[in-house]
């Protein structure tokens, strides 16, 4: 029987997937498998909206059903997301590599979406949990001007011999992204090359204000944790300010907090402070960094 005629049962694929995961762990590699519990691939607004968006396009209607059935059996043993890119390993007849690229969201569309949503989302937690009005929801999922990519903004490549634009392995990975958005909704913004913090920015008289003009009253400890996907070991400092009048309160972060929010080591953060790359205020032996300085550094480094 030739290459194309080989059939591997679901049970055998699961066994092979488990072996590959175990081998990777022995080598110190960290894999992020997609685990679908029950029949529902995604359960939150962001995960469901991603899957619904895929299914709304006729371009995919012949291939998605196979991927939908495939992902439920646990073949996606690793799924990694970086800016505009998805890399995954999928267990089929062999272990295949799947690479998906998502085009950067048109800057004008993003600015228009941010402006349309300004003042309509109450907190960062609500944004990441998808808890907002039907009006905001409609704008975000709009096929022409919303956040989700259309088929001509998605390119796929799989190492399997299928030779089509979307094989069942690529389709399974796309559904896997929807599954993971349940836990990491910020991934969608990373895939579209935009910063989800922009959605919380207020509209000013001359357009959209920068993050440094945000009032710290709107940012709580839980907001910061959800925004960056980490648990804060200590509370950020809310500092009362008399000036400038436009900002009564600011948030100051310790070096440990700032390093955690930037996903870098504390030693790396201290080097950035020593080099004056990130401004800070010194209070005795403690260094305090303004929250908006962290946001500005993220923007400059393109680490949204």
């Amino acid at each position: 029987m030739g290459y194309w005629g080989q059939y591997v049962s679901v049970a055998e694929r699961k066994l092979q997937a488990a072996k590959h995961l175990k081998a990777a762990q022995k080598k110190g590699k960290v894999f992020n498998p997609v685990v679908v519990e029950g029949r529902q691939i995604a359960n939150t607004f962001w995960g469901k909206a991603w899957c619904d968006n895929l299914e709304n396009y006729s371009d995919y209607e012949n291939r998605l059903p196979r991927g939908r059935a495939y992902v439920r059996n646990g073949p996606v043993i690793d799924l990694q997301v970086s800016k505009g890119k998805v890399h995954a390993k999928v267990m089929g007849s062999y272990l295949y590599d799947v690479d998906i690229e998502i085009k950067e969201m048109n800057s004008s569309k993003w600015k228009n979406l941010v402006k349309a949503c300004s003042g309509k989302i109450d907190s960062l937690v609500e944004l990441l949990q998808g808890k907002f009005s039907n009006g905001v929801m409609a704008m975000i999922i709009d096929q022409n001007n919303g956040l989700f990519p259309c088929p001509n903004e998605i390119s796929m490549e799989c190492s399997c011999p299928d030779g089509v634009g979307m094989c069942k392995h690529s389709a399974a990975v796309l559904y896997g992204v929807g599954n993971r958005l349940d836990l990491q909704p910020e991934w969608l913004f990373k895939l579209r090359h935009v910063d989800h913090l922009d959605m919380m920015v207020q509209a000013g008289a001359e357009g959209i204000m920068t993050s440094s003009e945000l009032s710290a009253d709107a940012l709580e400890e839980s907001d910061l944790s959800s925004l960056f996907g980490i648990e804060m070991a200590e509370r950020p400092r809310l500092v009362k300010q008399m000036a400038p009048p436009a900002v009564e309160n600011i948030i100051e972060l310790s070096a440990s907090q700032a390093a955690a929010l930037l996903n870098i080591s504390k030693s790396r953060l201290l080097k950035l402070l020593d080099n004056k790359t990130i401004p800070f205020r010194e209070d005795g032996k403690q260094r305090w960094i303004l929250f908006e300085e962290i946001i500005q550094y993220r923007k400059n480094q393109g680490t949204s």
Side-chain angles (χ1 to χ4, degrees):
M1 185 175 291
Y3 190 89
W4 280 94
Q6 297 185 27
Y7 168 76
V8 179
S9 68
V10 171
E12 179 63 21
R13 282 205 308 268
K14 288 183 177 180
L15 180 62
Q16 291 299 321
K19 288 181 178 179
H20 279 285
L21 282 171
K22 188 174 181 179
Q25 290 173 349
K26 285 185 177 180
K27 294 178 180 178
K29 296 180 181 179
V30 179
F31 276 14
N32 294 304
V34 173
V35 179
V36 177
E37 298 179 355
R39 300 301 296 172
Q40 196 78 9
I41 293 174
N43 297 285
T44 67
F45 163 75
W46 292 111
K48 287 180 178 179
W50 172 272
C51 296
D52 289 344
N53 178 68
L54 295 174
E55 293 168 2
N56 282 335
Y57 293 102
S58 59
D59 309 55
Y60 297 153
E61 62 183 359
N62 294 326
R63 287 285 177 164
L64 284 176
R66 294 188 70 192
R68 188 165 55 242
Y70 208 69
V71 74
R72 291 192 176 102
N73 295 320
V76 185
I77 65 172
D78 186 35
L79 195 153
Q80 306 286 345
V81 166
S82 57
K83 181 171 286 189
K85 296 181 179 180
V86 179
H87 177 73
K89 294 185 179 296
V90 182
M91 196 70 237
S93 301
Y94 300 89
L95 185 63
Y96 299 121
D97 287 303
V98 175
D99 289 289
I100 297 173
E101 291 194 12
I102 310 292
K103 286 186 179 179
E104 181 177 357
M105 186 175 182
N106 179 277
S107 60
S108 296
K109 285 186 177 182
W110 174 242
K111 289 178 181 179
N112 289 336
L113 181 61
V114 168
K115 187 176 294 185
C117 293
S118 68
K120 298 182 177 68
I121 302 174
D122 293 333
S123 73
L124 294 169
V125 172
E126 288 190 5
L127 171 65
L128 294 179
Q129 291 180 348
K131 295 181 178 179
F132 27 65
S133 69
N134 291 335
V136 171
M137 190 179 300
M139 288 186 285
I140 289 174
I141 65 174
D142 183 87
Q143 286 192 9
N144 295 318
N145 300 300
L147 184 59
F148 294 88
C150 57
N152 63 13
E153 294 177 315
I154 304 174
S155 59
M156 293 160 277
E157 185 176 348
C158 179
S159 61
C160 79
D162 196 326
V164 297
M166 178 189 285
C167 62
K168 63 183 178 182
H169 311 108
S170 298
V173 171
L174 285 173
Y175 275 113
V177 172
N179 173 270
R180 295 301 293 275
L181 287 178
D182 276 359
L183 299 175
Q184 295 171 287
E186 67 276 7
W187 273 14
L188 175 60
F189 298 87
K190 181 180 289 187
L191 286 172
R192 298 313 315 269
H193 300 254
V194 295
D195 193 335
H196 51 296
L197 185 68
D198 291 346
M199 299 291 286
M200 290 304 304
V201 178
Q202 301 297 315
E206 298 181 359
I208 300 175
M209 296 169 68
T210 64
S211 57
S212 63
E213 296 172 289
L214 279 171
S215 168
D217 288 332
L219 295 172
E220 298 178 355
E221 178 184 8
S222 59
D223 292 323
L224 294 173
S225 298
S226 296
L227 172 62
F228 292 93
I230 63 169
E231 291 295 327
M232 299 295 289
E234 52 183 321
R235 293 185 64 86
R237 299 205 323 174
L238 183 61
V239 184
K240 296 291 182 180
Q241 286 259 113
M242 294 302 295
V247 182
E248 294 182 354
N249 300 317
I250 60 173
I251 287 180
E252 286 189 332
L253 304 173
S254 68
S256 297
Q257 290 172 327
L261 295 182
L262 290 172
N263 195 28
I264 61 176
S265 65
K266 185 176 178 181
S267 60
R268 169 62 178 157
L269 186 278
L270 292 177
K271 286 183 179 179
L272 292 174
L273 299 182
D274 290 338
N275 295 334
K276 309 297 183 183
T277 304
I278 300 178
F280 65 92
R281 183 181 68 81
E282 202 153 10
D283 183 4
K285 294 184 179 181
Q286 180 69 287
R287 293 178 177 182
W288 295 97
I289 303 97
L290 293 182
F291 174 71
E292 55 261 34
E293 295 292 353
I294 297 299
I295 300 305
Q296 187 59 51
Y297 180 78
R298 277 166 49 87
K299 287 180 178 293
N300 293 341
Q301 297 298 310
T303 56
S304 58

